Amino acid sequence: MSKRFTDTYLLSLMAQASAAISAEFHDWLASEGVSVADWRILASLYPDIGLTIGELCASCLTKQPTMTRMVDRLVAQELAIRSADRTDRRRVEVRLTPYGQGRAERLINEAKAHEARLLAGYKPEDAAALKALLRIIKDRAAMPSVSAS
Amino acid sequence: MSKRFTDTYLLSLMAQASAAISAEFHDWLASEGVSVADWRILASLYPDIGLTIGELCASCLTKQPTMTRMVDRLVAQELAIRSADRTDRRRVEVRLTPYGQGRAERLINEAKAHEARLLAGYKPEDAAALKALLRIIKDRAAMPSVSAS
DNA sequence: AATCATATAATGCAATTTCATATTTATGAG
DNA sequence: CTCATAAATATGAAATTGCATTATATGATT
């Protein structure tokens, strides 16, 4: 029985697993009129974190010109503000406005509730182990040792 | 020490881990002039699998109108062909041309070599366990039990 | 200090993606 | 058999994305 390549290829499996586990919440976001892109920025800046365009790119998985424009849109909606970094004026620091914080908080609460439902029925240490594994992959972009039960 | 939300949120960690582990290969694809979107279709159809537009959407993680147009482009490049399904003429079956197969084969060989490098140093059973875990997440869109070492 | 190399973000523009909807074919109820 | 509904794909129009480049700031070297 020959499996298809994409059913055994690590990168495909990661991307598909990520999409599958996110689909439900992303649908909920859409029903609220919030794009995944905007959600990622709001979540990255909550509660009151200042990040540069470059840092937001890494956190939200988009290219720099895209991020500049996404921030433009958030600023236009008064959800975020830009301010110049004093020590390095090439950098732009992005922060949430109070209005943006409120918006982000609602979404984050829903995200936490959704995650709790996803993880319900699994032992806390199993969930923690999976997160630790994902953090290792994300930080090293390489493979750790695992065992699944 | 309070971690940021996106450093502990399962969906963020999955997406970031997926992006991180794929980055190197995606860069290589770009250097070859191949988009990730095209790569996913070619890999899904290789070696000679006929898939409908809808099946390709699921496999390649894009919306249906996008897939219709991506297939348009592959067909224009003579990498793939469309043919109507005889039993259900609403459906369109997409297949690689021989030329497309050759192109796909080269990319898949590189993908396999890259995956082997990623997994080098890890026990085969660990890699298999991770893949099994990802398959479960992707198929159930829910969480299995895990332990990491 | 002047110059060159590098880092960071913004912008013009072309390509891609997607939403909303249309089109075509299939299926089921009466 | 006909009509209503659903399913699969295509298409028009608008929004988003990203490449290539530019603008500006910093740092290093002489």
Side-chain angles (χ1 to χ4, degrees), chain A residues 56-115:
Chain A
L56 281 171
C57 290
S59 180
C60 303
L61 310 173
T62 72
K63 305 292 180 183
Q64 177 268 313
T66 302
M67 182 54 66
T68 289
R69 275 148 178 149
M70 295 197 311
V71 169
D72 287 345
R73 294 195 283 271
L74 289 183
V75 169
Q77 293 176 266
E78 317 221 333
L79 291 164
I81 54 166
R82 276 190 172 87
S83 54
D85 183 322
R86 289 233 173 45
T87 65
D88 184 343
R89 284 182 315 186
R90 289 171 301 185
R91 299 187 187 207
V92 170
E93 200 181 66
V94 183
R95 281 188 180 278
L96 294 179
T97 61
Y99 172 53
Q101 287 173 16
R103 192 66 85 78
E105 187 172 20
R106 239 191 87 250
L107 301 176
I108 286 188
N109 286 340
E110 183 64 28
K112 284 178 177 167
H114 177 259
E115 182 182 56

Side-chain angles (χ1 to χ4, degrees), chain A residues 129-144:
Chain A
L130 175 59
K131 288 185 178 185
L133 167 56
L134 293 172
R135 249 181 240 114
I136 289 169
I137 293 176
K138 142 175 123 77
D139 292 337
R140 301 208 199 138
M143 273 277 308

Side-chain angles (χ1 to χ4, degrees), chain B:
Chain B
M1 204 236 67
S2 72
K3 274 219 174 107
R4 289 175 193 168
F5 172 72
T6 51
D7 289 335
T8 62
Y9 179 49
L10 180 60
L11 275 53
S12 297
L13 291 171
M14 278 289 304
Q16 289 171 354
S18 177
I21 207 172
S22 299
E24 198 173 55
F25 183 66
H26 289 180
D27 286 349
W28 178 80
L29 282 174
S31 77
E32 294 284 311
V34 178
S35 70
V36 172
D38 283 354
W39 152 244
R40 283 183 171 156
I41 299 179
L42 295 176
S44 298
L45 297 177
Y46 185 83
D48 188 28
I49 298 174
L51 295 179
T52 65
I53 297 289
E55 288 164 342
L56 281 171
C57 290
S59 179
C60 303
L61 310 173
T62 73
K63 305 293 182 185
Q64 177 268 314
T66 305
M67 182 54 66
T68 289
R69 277 154 173 142
M70 295 198 309
V71 169
D72 287 346
R73 294 196 284 272
L74 289 183
V75 169
Q77 294 177 265
E78 317 220 330
L79 290 164
I81 55 167
R82 274 190 173 89
S83 54
D85 183 321
R86 288 233 174 49
T87 65
D88 184 342
R89 284 182 318 187
R90 290 172 303 184
R91 298 188 187 205
V92 170
E93 198 180 67
V94 183
R95 281 185 180 279
L96 295 179
T97 60
Y99 171 52
Q101 287 173 15
R103 191 65 83 78
E105 186 172 20
R106 238 190 88 250
L107 300 177
I108 285 189
N109 285 339
E110 183 63 29
K112 285 179 177 167
H114 177 260
E115 182 183 56
R117 289 195 296 276
L118 274 183
L119 295 174
Y122 295 98
K123 287 183 289 196
E125 63 264 31
D126 283 348
L130 175 58
K131 288 185 178 185
L133 167 57
L134 293 172
R135 249 181 240 114
I136 290 169
I137 294 176
K138 140 174 125 74
D139 291 337
R140 300 206 201 140
M143 273 276 310
S145 173
V146 247
S147 73
S149 58

